[in-house]
Amino acid sequence: MTGNNTQKWYNSWFGTPYYDLLYGHRDEQEASAFVATLITYLHPNTTATILDAACGKGRHAILLADKGFTVTGIDLSAKNIREAQAFENEHLSFFKHDMRQIFRIGYFDLICNFYTSFGYFDDPKDDVACLKAFAAGLKPGGKLVIDFLNIYHILQHLIEDESRTIDGIRFTISKSYSNGFLHKKITISDNGNFSEYHEKVRALELKQFERYLMEAGLHLENIFGDYRLSPFEKSSSDRLILIARK
């Protein structure tokens, strides 16, 4: 078994039980607090329509819908969407969709892209296509939130090799930076069976985001450095959280 198609790594890796096991530690309390802080800051109308782009299994979308907003989640993984659809209700729906393509035109008050779900593609034109699709989906004056990693901080503190065992399964993780991308190779040992997967994320700096947003017709309004929405500090912030307006 192998999932080493690095060109489209997101097709082979997302939705696997190993992905769920490796990242099952994600802090639900942190996600809930971030959504609450974000909504307090943005203060959308109670009738707002929200898109969670690259929603995974919908944890952020569910949190937003629980606050009474009408929320749609889209993701490229059919497996993730099937699992997320179990939580659908009158305020919450999920669809398999490529975020490079327009989903609905002029429909959303707010579009969110959480937890470094951007910069996956080999061609930077695809990143711009995502932003243009988001812009097309927003109502005039609508807001876009991109929650990305802070590349400056990541490269300063890059742990190149680590291993961990979860439920008897051994994960060996190698990280590197080359050709403008952060690479992660995940080798898995499961009861004598070995498999290998890759993650590849474009190491986008703030200036690149600014250029991309301008090209998409979006205006950058604010920049934050963590989930508490503290000011962005290039050398020390964990995240690069962008708020843009159509």
Side-chain angles (χ1 to χ4, degrees), residues 59-70:
R59 64 175 184 153
H60 290 96
I62 293 166
L63 290 167
L64 288 164
D66 285 345
K67 294 185 177 299
F69 303 109
T70 299

Side-chain angles (χ1 to χ4, degrees), residues 62-151:
I62 293 166
L63 290 167
L64 288 164
D66 285 345
K67 294 185 177 299
F69 303 109
T70 299
V71 183
T72 304
I74 60 170
D75 197 90
L76 196 58
S77 168
K79 180 179 181 295
N80 282 343
I81 289 299
R82 284 195 300 271
E83 294 191 31
Q85 285 173 336
F87 299 93
E88 287 186 332
N89 56 49
E90 60 180 327
H91 297 294
L92 180 62
S93 56
F94 294 96
F95 299 90
K96 182 181 182 299
H97 186 80
D98 188 325
M99 66 182 181
R100 289 170 288 187
Q101 306 296 323
I102 297 170
F103 182 65
R104 291 172 180 160
I105 296 176
Y107 184 85
F108 296 102
D109 297 288
L110 174 64
I111 295 178
C112 298
N113 181 254
F114 292 112
Y115 208 80
T116 315
S117 299
F118 195 85
Y120 291 170
F121 308 109
D122 289 334
D123 191 337
K125 291 180 181 177
D126 284 330
D127 294 329
V128 176
C130 291
L131 294 176
K132 288 183 176 179
F134 296 160
L138 286 169
K139 297 175 182 177
K143 300 287 182 72
L144 170 67
V145 177
I146 295 182
D147 164 27
F148 200 71
L149 51 81
N150 175 13
I151 183 61

